[in-house]
Amino acid sequence: MNKSSRHLAIKQIIAQRPIASQEELCDALGKAGFEVTQATLSRDLKELGIARINAPEGPRYVLHHQSEERRLQSVISYEVERIDANEVMVIIRTLPGRAPGVASFIDSLQHRDILGTLAGDDTVLVTPSSTKKIRNVLQYIKDALIARAA
Amino acid sequence: MNKSSRHLAIKQIIAQRPIASQEELCDALGKAGFEVTQATLSRDLKELGIARINAPEGPRYVLHHQSEERRLQSVISYEVERIDANEVMVIIRTLPGRAPGVASFIDSLQHRDILGTLAGDDTVLVTPSSTKKIRNVLQYIKDALIARAA
DNA sequence: ATTTCACTTGCATATTTATACAGTTTAATG
DNA sequence: CATTAAACTGTATAAATATGCAAGTGAAAT
């Protein structure tokens, strides 16, 4: 369980539901198999450009694009916010404007189970060769995008 | 020196130069003629939707656009022409060139059943977390986009 | 194998932020 | 005027976050 995969996990968790404190994030990560302390999370959030906003409904962590955008452009994993799938395709959420770059990268992998990609501004659709391949493709993409982080 | 003029002052100060802590903001406000305590600033920042981001150069307060996003709701409904769905996704037709804005707005709603959106020029594709959620998502989007028409 | 260096992490704690509570002010009402 | 309620703020402190330091790990160099 290395840092970059934990970072992806953090981004996915905070995108999925409101996280109000680092303690809470710590618990959520624990359940996902990442045992870390609050101190580490404080550092992670800083590296990821995640901010704690004070919504009327309570505090919550969110990816803050303004700070995120300044980071190294060449590192794909920093551009990816979330990777998900339904029954028919994989959807990758990226920072604004980064979808084409991420899609192009995936295309270059020339994986047999990937028919093609379609990129908008901050979203990439990945179409599998068959809906039965969805799980494979999802995992493959996660691995591929994380591996480049190191 | 009432609260709203202080709020305006706060927004101006944080826009002009990096403010790293509420103490620092307190000093800056003091020089501008607003004598308040850190406790009050904590409340002010919450009301204004200002977040503390962790830039590599150090922490800093910024207006968080996510809280601004809600103000746009009333405009959105005029840009949407049609909302439909098939078995797999929701399609929104908009006025020419308005799709990215509408997609961005839908993203900001952060609904758990919406994996992502993809915008072209006048068309937005909305991908549900599962095809089983299509009906929910369709209804949700209609409510969110059209209900504001009044 | 040993050394060195860069990177990562936890612990303990300093720093910063949020909030319970009480006091003050303002405005509205009987 | 007296009374009540709501809004605002400061004090004190609770809660949350950031960080100095030391330890651990792994890769590259000698």
Side-chain angles (χ1 to χ4, degrees), chain B residues 122-135:
Chain B
D122 64 355
T123 303
V124 180
L125 292 185
V126 181
T127 313
S129 61
S130 158
T131 53
K132 291 168 190 147
K133 302 286 191 177
I134 280 286
R135 290 295 129 198

Side-chain angles (χ1 to χ4, degrees), chain A residues 85-90 111-116 126-138:
Chain A
N86 67 4
E87 298 86 347
V88 294
M89 49 183 53
V90 175
H111 191 281
R112 61 209 315 280
D113 290 335
I114 296 176
L115 280 191
V126 181
T127 313
S129 60
S130 156
T131 54
K132 291 168 190 147
K133 301 287 191 178
I134 281 286
R135 290 295 129 199
N136 290 348
V137 171
L138 176 62

Side-chain angles (χ1 to χ4, degrees), chain B residues 91-112:
Chain B
I91 285 79
I92 303 171
R93 296 299 301 276
T94 73
L95 296 176
R98 305 306 171 89
V102 171
S104 163
F105 174 73
I106 291 173
D107 286 342
S108 78
L109 298 174
Q110 298 201 301
H111 191 282
R112 58 203 330 279

